[in-house]
Amino acid sequence: MLALNTATLGHNLDGHGAGWTPEEVIDVCAALGYGGITFWRRELGRRAQQIGERTRAAGLEVVGLCRTPFLTGPLALPSEREIMDDLHRSIDQAAALGTNVLTIVSGGPEPGTKGVVESQKIVADRVARVAEFAASRNVNLALEPLNPAMAGNRTCLMTAAEALTLCDQIGVQNVGIAIDVYHVWWDTTLHDTLKAQAKGRILGYHLCDWLADTSDMLLDRGMMGDGVADLRSIRCAVENAGYTGYCEAEIFSAENWWKRDPHEVLKTIVKRFRKFC
Amino acid sequence: MLALNTATLGHNLDGHGAGWTPEEVIDVCAALGYGGITFWRRELGRRAQQIGERTRAAGLEVVGLCRTPFLTGPLALPSEREIMDDLHRSIDQAAALGTNVLTIVSGGPEPGTKGVVESQKIVADRVARVAEFAASRNVNLALEPLNPAMAGNRTCLMTAAEALTLCDQIGVQNVGIAIDVYHVWWDTTLHDTLKAQAKGRILGYHLCDWLADTSDMLLDRGMMGDGVADLRSIRCAVENAGYTGYCEAEIFSAENWWKRDPHEVLKTIVKRFRKFC
């Protein structure tokens, strides 16, 4: 089943994207047969509950919320207190929205440290400290490993294996992982890792493609079928590990798809999903 | 012991870099106490033997030659015959230069294929077919895994583990791997991998740093100490696997170090090597 991550429409920021309200996104997705939507916090304002209800009224599921603040690294909020406060707020927003998946992007190496190991420990600690609160709000936390290209400032979790190891260390029911094609497509150990460690731990599966000549690590993702990722094989690995949720299209593409008519983008995703995924 | 990879001075291309002849590079490196130099093919022309002799006459070793043509992928030469011909030429040039290490950058996924597995098999086949010729010229072939950021078009080997597995499959004495900090710094399995599989297989160790806010995957490498790579730890892993060769500074930095006075660059490397590596 197909879902839309609203980042695919350009975040309505910086002149990119549809400029659509959440309600407009909901209506068009419902009309095109999408099963659900994942929103970003910036789109909710104080309307999380309202937008959640509106989504369900249109026959769609709220698949997830993007995302917690960075928990470590140079892009994180300046103090631990601010990070933890915002982390709690993100859980509240997920609960108000009525979704049970909140994505965690860990953040990169803590300033002053070398490598990623120390930062991974801090992430594990901070997630563990909010896990019970999240459970009380019926929210699961999905650690998303990111492509090593982003390990300088956005992530200290680069592989599914590392994210799953962190889950095991945290050791609670409501912490799992999200698998995003863009971040893991290159990892030839993915099948074995998911088979051995991921049973019941996968909380999200994100679709796009890796363009052979990717020009910008953050904002040049490809439409499914236009790149070199083996999309069928990755989906198999995810579903063989017990994942039965949505395939969520999440295409950051500042110079291509964000510049197109969003109706065209949404229709193309439906076609490409049937053909390539 | 410290060596210079001449790419650090900007390849003398596109207005970057010192504009120095190989002879000038050799003299300045000798004066500053470098132990060796790795050249690029483009710098040799028909003078490989002459430049090799000149290097040794200055008391330096020719540490290696960069590099073979891409063996697969969208950036490779158009036909297998052209690829194999140029691969043989690169081996001849290494032999003429008098170095026994020729670096292989595999190239990315073959056009029309998905994922990297098929391309890895092609790389293994093509390397295996020239290994005996290389051995007859006293040249060892070093498979260099590249950062997954480059897996779209420049590499189908992303980790030391994959490169070592390919070595095992090829199964000859003169094929090993090169470890470059830029490409492997994020890999938390590196120590275990090298310990378990790399004994006697490491043919080169390349130094730079990963900047937290890396802006360009190809040409924004950091000077040692300016980034987040755990340089001491990686060197330990490499030397624990039996590597006794040079630490070779290889800093592609179009917007920073390539724009500076090359004397300053070379002196900075010496200082940073002592302090951070």
Side-chain angles (χ1 to χ4, degrees):
Chain A
M1 280 182 311
L2 181 62
L4 176 76
N5 184 302
T6 57
T8 305
L9 300 181
H11 278 322
N12 298 335
L13 286 180
D14 305 329
H16 289 302
W20 288 358
T21 63
E23 283 78 0
E24 287 172 301
V25 177
I26 292 164
D27 289 341
V28 176
C29 281
L32 291 173
Y34 283 77
I37 300 177
T38 288
F39 293 97
W40 284 68
R41 291 171 69 194
R42 63 185 71 171
E43 296 151 359
L44 303 179
R46 297 172 174 272
R47 300 200 301 134
Q49 186 177 341
Q50 184 187 345
I51 291 168
E53 285 168 3
R54 182 71 163 69
T55 307
R56 287 181 288 278
L60 300 170
E61 198 169 322
V62 183
V63 174
L65 178 63
C66 290
R67 58 178 172 70
T68 66
F70 292 119
L71 303 182
T72 58
L75 303 178
L77 290 163
S79 72
E80 176 169 20
R81 175 162 180 174
E82 287 165 281
I83 292 168
M84 296 306 287
D85 283 353
D86 196 49
L87 181 52
H88 280 91
R89 272 196 298 277
S90 67
I91 293 166
D92 276 332
Q93 283 184 291
L97 188 63
T99 181
N100 60 9
V101 177
L102 173 64
T103 302
I104 300 175
V105 171
S106 70
E110 277 287 274
T113 69
K114 299 286 184 184
V116 297
V117 176
E118 282 181 66
S119 303
Q120 288 179 350
K121 287 178 190 160
I122 296 169
V123 170
D125 174 63
R126 291 179 180 173
V127 172
R129 279 156 55 197
V130 295
E132 196 175 334
F133 173 70
S136 76
R137 310 299 310 267
N138 201 27
V139 171
N140 298 308
L141 303 169
L143 291 160
E144 182 168 352
L146 303 193
N147 195 293
M150 301 179 187
N153 51 14
R154 295 184 167 265
T155 194
C156 58
L157 298 172
M158 283 67 64
T159 61
E162 284 176 312
L164 287 164
T165 299
L166 225 67
C167 286
D168 289 345
Q169 286 166 5
I170 296 168
V172 297
Q173 275 296 325
N174 66 320
V175 175
I177 68 169
I179 295 293
D180 186 313
V181 161
Y182 191 78
H183 298 306
V184 305
W185 76 274
W186 57 272
D187 181 0
T188 52
T189 70
L190 185 69
H191 280 257
D192 289 346
T193 296
L194 296 188
K195 195 172 177 186
Q197 296 181 249
K199 210 71 183 177
R201 283 285 189 201
I202 302 178
L203 301 173
Y205 175 53
H206 307 165
L207 276 177
C208 66
D209 209 334
W210 183 280
L211 300 174
D213 59 348
T214 300
S215 66
D216 178 299
M217 289 298 131
L218 208 53
L219 300 179
D220 186 29
R221 297 188 180 200
M223 177 64 69
M224 295 81 80
D226 289 344
V228 293
D230 190 345
L231 299 175
R232 285 184 207 282
S233 163
I234 298 170
R235 184 173 175 188
C236 267
V238 167
E239 296 191 343
N240 285 344
Y243 182 71
T244 58
Y246 287 91
C247 300
E248 174 187 325
E250 185 182 25
I251 306 169
F252 296 79
S253 172
E255 298 302 322
N256 183 353
W257 296 97
W258 286 4
K259 291 189 167 172
R260 301 200 193 194
D261 172 3
H263 291 96
E264 178 201 347
V265 176
L266 292 172
K267 283 178 194 165
T268 304
I269 289 171
V270 172
K271 269 189 248 163
R272 298 292 186 88
F273 178 63
R274 289 194 188 127
K275 188 162 179 193
F276 293 109
C277 307
Chain B
M1 281 181 310
L2 181 61
L4 176 76
N5 183 303
T6 56
T8 304
L9 300 181
H11 277 324
N12 297 337
L13 286 180
D14 305 329
H16 290 298
W20 287 358
T21 63
E23 283 77 1
E24 288 171 302
V25 177
I26 292 163
D27 289 343
V28 177
C29 281
L32 290 173
Y34 283 77
I37 300 177
T38 289
F39 292 98
W40 284 67
R41 290 172 69 195
R42 62 186 70 170
E43 297 151 0
L44 303 179
R46 297 171 176 274
R47 300 202 300 134
Q49 185 176 341
Q50 183 187 343
I51 290 168
E53 285 167 3
R54 181 70 163 71
T55 307
R56 286 180 289 277
L60 300 171
E61 196 169 324
V62 183
V63 175
L65 178 63
C66 292
R67 58 180 175 70
T68 65
F70 292 118
L71 304 183
T72 58
L75 303 178
L77 290 164
S79 71
E80 177 169 17
R81 175 161 183 174
E82 286 164 280
I83 293 168
M84 295 306 289
D85 282 353
D86 195 49
L87 181 53
H88 280 91
R89 272 195 298 275
S90 67
I91 292 166
D92 276 331
Q93 281 183 292
L97 189 61
T99 182
N100 60 7
V101 177
L102 173 64
T103 302
I104 300 176
V105 171
S106 69
E110 277 285 274
T113 69
K114 299 288 183 183
V116 297
V117 176
E118 282 181 66
S119 303
Q120 288 180 349
K121 287 179 189 159
I122 296 169
V123 170
D125 173 65
R126 291 178 179 173
V127 173
R129 279 155 55 198
V130 295
E132 193 174 337
F133 173 70
S136 77
R137 310 299 309 267
N138 200 26
V139 171
N140 298 310
L141 303 169
L143 290 161
E144 181 169 351
L146 303 193
N147 195 293
M150 300 178 188
N153 50 15
R154 293 182 169 267
T155 194
C156 57
L157 298 172
M158 283 67 63
T159 62
E162 284 177 313
L164 287 164
T165 299
L166 225 66
C167 286
D168 289 344
Q169 285 166 5
I170 297 167
V172 297
Q173 276 295 324
N174 66 318
V175 175
I177 68 169
I179 295 292
D180 185 314
V181 161
Y182 191 78
H183 298 304
V184 305
W185 76 274
W186 58 272
D187 183 359
T188 52
T189 69
L190 185 68
H191 280 256
D192 289 346
T193 296
L194 296 188
K195 194 171 177 185
Q197 296 179 249
K199 210 73 185 174
R201 283 285 191 200
I202 302 177
L203 301 174
Y205 175 53
H206 307 165
L207 276 176
C208 67
D209 209 335
W210 183 279
L211 299 174
D213 60 348
T214 300
S215 66
D216 178 299
M217 289 299 130
L218 208 54
L219 300 179
D220 186 29
R221 296 188 180 200
M223 177 64 68
M224 295 80 81
D226 289 344
V228 293
D230 191 345
L231 299 175
R232 285 184 206 282
S233 164
I234 299 170
R235 185 173 175 188
C236 266
V238 166
E239 295 190 344
N240 285 344
Y243 182 72
T244 58
Y246 287 91
C247 300
E248 174 188 325
E250 185 182 24
I251 307 171
F252 296 81
S253 172
E255 298 302 322
N256 185 354
W257 297 97
W258 286 3
K259 291 188 168 173
R260 301 199 194 195
D261 172 4
H263 290 96
E264 177 202 346
V265 176
L266 291 172
K267 284 177 193 166
T268 304
I269 288 171
V270 173
K271 270 189 246 159
R272 298 292 186 89
F273 178 63
R274 289 191 189 129
K275 188 161 180 192
F276 294 108
C277 307

